[in-house]
Amino acid sequence: MGATGAAEPLHSVLWVKQQRCAVSLEPARAVLRWWRSPGPGAGAPGADACSVPVSEIIAVEETDVHGKHHSSGKWQKMEKPYAFTVHCVKRARRHRWKWAQVTFWCPEEQLCHLWLQTLREMLEKLTSRPKHLLVFINPFGGKGQGKRIYERKVAPLFTLASITTDIIVTEHANQAKETLYEINIDKYDGIVCVGGDGMFSEVLHGLIGRTQRSAGVDQNHPRAVLVPSSLRIGIIPAGSTDCVCYSTVGTSDAETSALHIVVGDSLAMDVSSVHHNSTLLRYSVSLLGYGFYGDIIKDSEKKRWLGLARYDFSGLKTFLSHHCYEGTVSFLPAQHTVGSPRDGKPCRAGCFVCRQSKQQLEEEQKKALYGLEAAEDVEEWQVVCGKFLAINATNMSCACRRSPRGLSPAAHLGDGSSDLILIRKCSRFNFLRFLIRHTNQQDQFDFTFVEVYRVKKFQFTSKHVEDEDSDLKEEGKKRFGHICSSHPSCCCAVSNSSWNCDGEVLHSPAIEVRVHCQLVRLFARGIEENLKPDSHS
């Protein structure tokens, strides 16, 4: 039977699925293991041995065995069986997690209670797990399934894990953000948003804004050092693209996300602040896009009556219009990062690049305390001018179901940098080739008209604004000069685009962007390397 204390290993012969198994629990390794043991001894674990880390056990329950009949002869020896059920995580294909149950049958009541007590004591020591959550549900996002998804797939898991919740079903835009500014959030262990990327952005803005207000930080100051929040955000995907969830977990499956919340996973993530004239416009975690993606989101806003089809319609219309925009991009290269946008090393769970880059960034910041930062900034800023079809800045891969590798496959979630992608003026055919590569395995940066830089700050000013500043009258004449010999019809240079900031329109063409390293934390662990699906069930 083994030890009697929680700190010592437990070894027993129990029954699983009518098979005699050796079962071991080693608190030092925090792993529950079991394997078939038909003989009198425990035997050595074979290739079919199963294991579950204690950190991935959801709950342990005593099993009601009354009224159950077992016809197998093996079971007749067990006159009064006792059992406990372990609810745990089971890995499925494509990064999905499933809720699984394994029931262990014991010949003695005392042994059953010892296992229950030992496992529960180990679960109690997992302090990273949330006990009380604030949940925002967007009933309108995506296909309007948020409430149903939460009730069917998430609430039962929270109940099983003894997580209590306060639920707010939002009735209008920005309700979640406003609520987070008003209520006492100290009693919660995290905030959960059920919806799409827009719902997550609301919660993000509310939590960051509330944290800065409490810390006395002026968000409108472009060089302000922002304070991280102690609360994690959980995302239950119920939107149209669910880009943030897909890029941080590897799937947009609600059950998977709920299980990451239950086991208390934590993933630090960069956030970019977007300013114009010393005023904070928005925060961004996924895509900042000017030109192509800005035009798509601006056009789609006028066609909300089309539902999700508006994105395809606006995308085709924008592609055919083929507008390019003239302007100046200046940026500060992220010299602290140990990766690069084209190194083929995607961000994964326990990412070495994020960890090392953060350490190197902290070293840089120590130097800045001695007044060196301003001098370095002047020396290191780079400037690129020209006509662009698109200017994209991504803090993450921006992967989704349609684009499994995303806009920047090697972008990192917490390395304190953004991947700045410049698509210069080119033919419509070449631009189509570039877009197609977002859906396959080819290098989408391998074009002469595409440049990519890893940056920690950047600024953009459109030619239209530059000219307006220098000569307002001359600019007035240019506005009516679109159809002319100097501008080919395939790429007519119009004055301004808009910025697409995580799916929201920013109308200011001149912006200043700064990446804040690991400013927020999610209930996630990053995309795991492709592991074989678990065999236990």
Side-chain angles (χ1 to χ4, degrees):
M1 185 170 112
T4 56
E8 297 176 34
L10 263 178
H11 298 285
S12 303
V13 174
L14 308 176
W15 294 81
V16 181
K17 288 187 176 178
Q18 300 189 20
Q19 290 183 336
R20 188 175 186 273
C21 290
V23 186
S24 76
L25 175 65
E26 298 179 29
R29 293 178 60 203
V31 175
L32 175 66
R33 299 185 76 199
W34 64 98
W35 59 92
R36 285 184 64 186
S37 179
D48 61 342
C50 300
S51 65
V52 176
V54 173
S55 62
E56 292 179 10
I57 293 175
I58 303 162
V60 186
E61 292 183 321
E62 191 165 3
T63 309
D64 182 14
V65 297
H66 296 294
K68 294 191 178 183
H69 300 282
H70 305 281
S71 57
S72 170
K74 298 173 188 174
W75 286 92
Q76 290 173 3
K77 297 174 186 174
M78 208 180 286
E79 293 176 7
K80 292 181 180 178
Y82 299 90
F84 63 93
T85 298
V86 174
H87 299 269
C88 58
V89 169
K90 176 185 178 182
R91 282 168 177 74
R93 292 184 178 184
R94 296 180 182 145
H95 306 291
R96 284 177 303 162
W97 282 11
K98 296 294 179 189
W99 168 18
Q101 301 91 32
V102 185
T103 299
F104 296 88
W105 297 82
C106 309
E108 303 164 21
E109 184 178 13
Q110 185 184 358
L111 181 62
C112 183
H113 286 165
L114 176 62
W115 274 95
L116 274 167
Q117 179 190 346
T118 305
L119 283 165
R120 283 174 175 166
E121 284 176 0
M122 291 183 72
L123 291 179
E124 279 294 314
K125 291 177 182 175
L126 300 174
T127 55
S128 65
R129 296 195 171 188
K131 291 182 170 61
H132 191 41
L133 296 170
L134 175 59
V135 180
F136 290 102
I137 301 175
N138 178 1
F140 310 111
K143 296 177 181 176
Q145 297 290 306
K147 201 162 180 289
R148 184 168 169 267
I149 286 170
Y150 180 80
E151 289 168 353
R152 291 186 62 182
K153 296 189 174 182
V154 182
L157 286 167
F158 285 180
T159 301
L160 179 68
S162 302
I163 296 172
T164 56
T165 55
D166 289 339
I167 299 171
I168 297 174
V169 180
T170 58
E171 298 172 357
H172 58 82
N174 286 320
Q175 184 178 345
K177 178 183 172 182
E178 292 161 5
T179 303
L180 287 170
Y181 267 91
E182 294 164 4
I183 65 167
N184 174 22
I185 58 174
D186 296 337
K187 59 181 178 177
Y188 299 110
D189 301 311
I191 316 292
V192 175
C193 53
V194 184
D197 293 328
M199 188 64 183
F200 168 74
S201 185
E202 264 197 51
V203 170
L204 176 88
H205 280 80
L207 192 57
I208 294 177
R210 170 66 180 263
T211 305
Q212 305 324 305
R213 188 182 71 180
S214 300
V217 175
D218 180 9
Q219 295 181 89
N220 287 317
H221 197 299
R223 296 177 75 92
V225 178
L226 301 183
V227 177
S229 171
S230 59
L231 293 181
R232 285 167 286 175
I233 304 174
I235 308 171
I236 302 297
S240 49
T241 55
D242 299 312
C243 166
V244 179
C245 187
Y246 200 100
S247 297
T248 53
V249 178
T251 180
S252 50
D253 173 66
E255 183 178 352
T256 301
S257 292
L259 288 167
H260 279 287
I261 295 169
V262 164
V263 302
D265 275 337
S266 184
L267 177 69
M269 189 171 71
D270 296 340
V271 177
S272 288
S273 57
V274 186
H275 285 82
H276 172 70
N277 286 346
S278 295
T279 301
L280 175 71
L281 300 181
R282 280 187 80 81
Y283 291 111
S284 171
V285 296
S286 53
L287 170 69
L288 258 176
Y290 186 81
F292 183 70
Y293 288 104
D295 291 350
I296 287 177
I297 202 70
K298 186 178 180 181
D299 188 73
S300 68
E301 283 297 301
K302 305 169 190 171
K303 300 176 175 64
R304 297 192 77 88
W305 53 273
L306 276 173
L308 299 180
R310 68 185 185 273
Y311 297 116
D312 293 328
F313 183 87
S314 295
L316 179 61
K317 179 183 171 185
T318 303
F319 172 75
L320 293 174
S321 65
H322 203 59
H323 289 312
C324 64
Y325 301 91
E326 195 168 356
T328 302
V329 184
S330 49
F331 58 89
L332 188 62
Q335 296 185 342
H336 67 278
T337 55
V338 295
S340 71
R342 298 187 68 180
D343 61 13
K345 296 176 182 175
C347 192
R348 291 293 179 258
C351 181
F352 169 80
V353 172
C354 291
R355 194 167 61 247
Q356 286 292 106
S357 297
K358 189 188 182 194
Q359 287 178 6
Q360 303 225 45
L361 184 61
E362 286 170 348
E363 288 296 316
E364 273 191 15
Q365 288 165 346
K366 284 178 186 174
K367 292 177 186 175
L369 292 175
Y370 299 100
L372 300 175
E373 185 189 24
E376 288 176 356
D377 283 9
V378 171
E379 291 171 3
E380 295 177 7
W381 281 85
Q382 295 184 24
V383 179
V384 179
C385 303
K387 294 179 180 178
F388 306 97
L389 285 169
I391 296 169
N392 300 328
T394 64
N395 282 23
M396 56 177 62
S397 67
C398 291
C400 62
R401 282 178 292 253
R402 287 188 174 188
S403 178
R405 294 175 71 235
L407 296 181
S408 186
H412 287 270
L413 294 164
D415 68 341
S417 73
S418 180
D419 285 358
L420 180 64
I421 307 161
L422 309 179
I423 301 95
R424 290 185 181 268
K425 176 181 173 181
C426 64
S427 70
R428 192 180 278 112
F429 174 69
N430 273 338
F431 188 52
L432 179 62
R433 288 171 62 209
F434 167 74
L435 292 176
I436 288 172
R437 290 200 180 179
H438 289 82
T439 63
N440 59 36
Q441 297 295 312
Q442 289 182 281
D443 182 1
Q444 59 215 45
F445 303 133
D446 191 21
F447 292 105
T448 55
F449 55 88
V450 177
E451 300 167 32
V452 60
Y453 306 94
R454 190 151 282 176
V455 306
K456 59 182 180 181
K457 297 178 186 177
F458 78 92
Q459 297 173 358
F460 174 76
T461 308
S462 74
K463 181 69 160 56
H464 174 65
V465 172
E466 290 172 356
D467 289 345
E468 198 170 63
D469 290 344
S470 61
D471 192 343
L472 278 171
K473 291 181 182 178
E474 188 64 23
E475 180 57 37
K477 294 176 186 175
K478 287 182 183 178
R479 286 185 190 178
F480 299 99
H482 295 334
I483 304 169
C484 59
S485 58
S486 64
H487 292 131
S489 60
C490 69
C491 188
C492 180
V494 295
S495 55
N496 278 329
S497 176
S498 300
W499 283 95
N500 175 344
C501 180
D502 294 1
E504 296 293 327
V505 180
L506 298 183
H507 295 288
S508 172
I511 61 169
E512 182 178 348
V513 180
R514 179 181 177 184
V515 183
H516 300 267
C517 187
Q518 301 188 13
L519 185 65
V520 296
R521 287 186 301 146
L522 303 185
F523 283 107
R525 66 172 60 174
I527 298 173
E528 295 183 302
E529 297 291 353
N530 287 322
L531 303 168
K532 288 183 179 178
D534 293 344
S535 57
H536 64 265
S537 59

